[in-house]
Amino acid sequence: MTSTKDAGRTVDHPSGDGRVRVDGGRPWPITLDNWQDAPFSRWAFAHAEEIVPTATVRRAGPAAPRETVPETAGDAALGRLPVPFGGTEVPLDDFLAASFADAFVVSDRSGVRYESYRGVMDRRRRHLLMSVSKSLCGLLVGQLAGEGLLDPAEPAAAYVPELAGSAFGTATLQQVLDMTVAVEYSEDYHDPASHVQQQDRLAGWRPRLAGDPDNAFELLASLRASGRHGERFQYCSAATDVLAWVAERVTGTRYADLLSRRLWQHLPVADDAQITVDPAGFAFANGGMSTTARDLGAVGRLVLDHGLVGDRRVVPAGWLAATTSGGDHQAARGTVFQGIHPRGSYRNHWWVTGDDHGSVYATGIYGQFLWIDPTADVVVVKFSSLPVATTADWSRAHARVFRRICESL
């Protein structure tokens, strides 16, 4: 298949959506209306900073020197590992091609075991994390709670009075973290009338429409309760932005700088991360982070090492123990998630499978994954540009493949 790196001509694209004009390595024309859609997304997810305003989440010191990077490295046998897919078994590399993988990294305590890059990606290029960003917010909130700067048992309005009349005003921060806030909110990624698309527009990810609120703060404060909090799991991207607002308020520091000072500068990462910001500079905490695949793997290693980097404490061990032990699985009964992970739950902005390996993960639409297996001591990172936001079949397929990889190691 011809790569979209080919400049100045029309090339085939692996999305199957026909042919697309490529100029200077960039598919054309990319707009705010189409950049999240195939075939444009494969380029756009790796170049978010060229489409949407971003802030830098800085590492400690300058970026590491760039090196010549092969498209595939590590144990080649792992690329041939038979994995379950489509009712049969196929080599892992075939699954990666079929699932629109942009970057794929498997690591254990000894280091990277296998990595593969496709499309425009390489080892040092950042890729949009989508809702994997939420789980990083969960780690940050854990730090703030550990230092006594906020109490998860307190309502969000105790820290941000502007939320007093909203659904989040009477919800505790723990309920916000566990997505058990009963709120009138639509997470339909394909409906322009949904709240999640409205958040996209306010964040600068889509063109604004008449009647949109002036800013993200106004939207968050306008969301109304739909019932009793704490009883049912309801996935809601607005919850993460509420947590970011609380974090900014209790520290007096903008969210991008908090991520840098409290997380990224303490990890063994090679590159700065980025996060998209709205016109007022408020970070799109629920989905706007971009990192390299290897650097995201360092977050997985932090979780496996109970919040330690070497002998330095970064996230409270108790917070991670509570996270990985899971939340109220009854709250998630009847969900698509529990159809895949029958003992699953959601805790502190992380998905907890309840499987016999204690696996937890972070995930984002269009196929972004950070999978952590404590029993195998393995971290799997996958960046993708799937042509659909999310389906149960794709979620199930990825879980099965990740589990097979971890068992093989």
Side-chain angles (χ1 to χ4, degrees):
M1 182 66 69
T2 307
S3 167
T4 54
K5 293 176 183 177
D6 291 295
R9 59 197 184 102
T10 303
V11 298
D12 292 326
H13 191 275
S15 69
D17 289 345
R19 297 171 67 79
V20 59
R21 177 72 181 180
V22 175
D23 288 308
R26 175 186 176 122
W28 183 89
I30 284 187
T31 69
L32 287 181
D33 284 314
N34 69 19
W35 71 277
Q36 296 183 66
D37 302 328
F40 304 101
S41 56
R42 170 155 273 190
W43 185 92
F45 290 171
H47 296 83
E49 73 281 3
E50 298 183 38
I51 301 169
V52 183
T54 60
T56 300
V57 178
R58 300 194 182 281
R59 73 185 290 275
R66 295 190 68 88
E67 72 276 19
T68 301
V69 180
E71 289 189 359
T72 301
D75 182 0
L78 192 56
R80 299 188 296 271
L81 176 73
V83 297
F85 181 60
T88 185
E89 299 219 335
V90 302
L92 173 60
D93 283 341
D94 288 359
F95 169 77
L96 296 179
S99 61
F100 302 88
D102 298 325
F104 186 76
V105 176
V106 179
S107 59
D108 61 14
R109 192 166 300 279
S110 67
V112 172
R113 297 289 298 273
Y114 185 75
E115 60 186 331
S116 175
Y117 300 94
R118 298 158 189 265
V120 298
M121 285 294 293
D122 63 36
R123 188 180 292 171
R124 302 298 294 278
R125 177 157 291 284
R126 289 177 284 259
H127 191 286
L128 199 60
L129 303 187
M130 295 298 186
S131 288
V132 174
S133 308
K134 291 179 171 68
S135 299
L136 274 64
C137 182
L139 298 179
L140 175 63
V141 172
Q143 287 185 327
L144 300 178
E147 294 178 17
L149 293 174
L150 56 81
D151 181 353
E154 290 291 318
Y159 302 100
V160 180
E162 294 92 325
L163 292 168
S166 77
F168 297 99
T170 55
T172 67
L173 291 181
Q174 190 62 62
Q175 289 166 340
V176 180
L177 283 158
D178 294 348
M179 299 269 191
T180 58
V181 179
V183 55
E184 295 178 359
Y185 185 93
S186 170
E187 190 83 17
D188 188 334
Y189 301 109
H190 304 291
D191 180 4
S194 69
H195 295 94
V196 73
Q197 276 214 20
Q198 192 172 56
Q199 281 197 272
D200 274 7
R201 296 194 296 271
L202 297 179
W205 281 34
R206 300 179 189 269
R208 278 179 171 263
L209 297 180
D212 281 342
D214 288 339
N215 52 57
F217 304 113
E218 183 178 322
L219 173 63
L220 296 176
S222 73
L223 296 173
R224 296 293 175 251
S226 61
R228 290 170 56 88
H229 302 317
E231 296 181 350
R232 295 288 295 164
F233 172 75
Q234 180 187 347
Y235 190 79
C236 172
S237 287
T240 313
D241 294 323
V242 166
L243 294 174
W245 195 358
V246 170
E248 289 193 346
R249 187 62 59 86
V250 301
T251 61
T253 304
R254 72 175 189 160
Y255 185 74
D257 292 334
L258 285 173
L259 284 173
S260 176
R261 298 172 188 174
R262 290 180 164 272
L263 183 63
W264 216 244
Q265 292 185 6
H266 300 284
L267 296 176
V269 295
D271 291 282
D272 295 336
Q274 292 177 329
I275 190 166
T276 68
V277 294
D278 70 12
F282 185 59
F284 200 33
N286 78 72
M289 283 284 289
S290 292
T291 74
T292 68
R294 279 190 168 212
D295 285 352
L296 184 60
V299 177
R301 177 52 52 186
L302 175 72
V303 174
L304 280 179
D305 288 344
H306 312 290
L308 290 172
V309 175
D311 58 359
R312 183 173 65 252
R313 171 66 56 192
V314 178
V315 179
W319 183 266
L320 286 174
T323 300
T324 57
S325 65
D328 179 6
H329 74 276
Q330 285 298 318
R333 64 190 182 277
T335 61
V336 172
F337 171 62
Q338 280 201 350
I340 301 169
H341 304 286
R343 293 181 291 176
S345 60
Y346 192 83
R347 179 70 167 174
N348 291 337
H349 265 38
W350 286 80
W351 300 92
V352 183
T353 67
D355 69 9
D356 60 347
H357 278 213
S359 306
V360 299
Y361 67 99
T363 187
I365 55 175
Y366 302 110
Q368 322 318 320
F369 287 94
L370 170 59
W371 184 275
I372 301 166
D373 185 323
T375 297
D377 198 31
V378 170
V379 175
V380 181
V381 173
K382 184 173 184 281
F383 295 156
S384 316
S385 50
L386 280 166
V388 293
T390 181
T391 69
D393 286 345
W394 275 121
S395 296
R396 184 178 292 106
H398 280 91
R400 288 172 174 169
V401 169
F402 298 155
R403 177 61 182 252
R404 175 66 59 84
I405 292 167
C406 293
E407 289 173 342
S408 76
L409 295 177

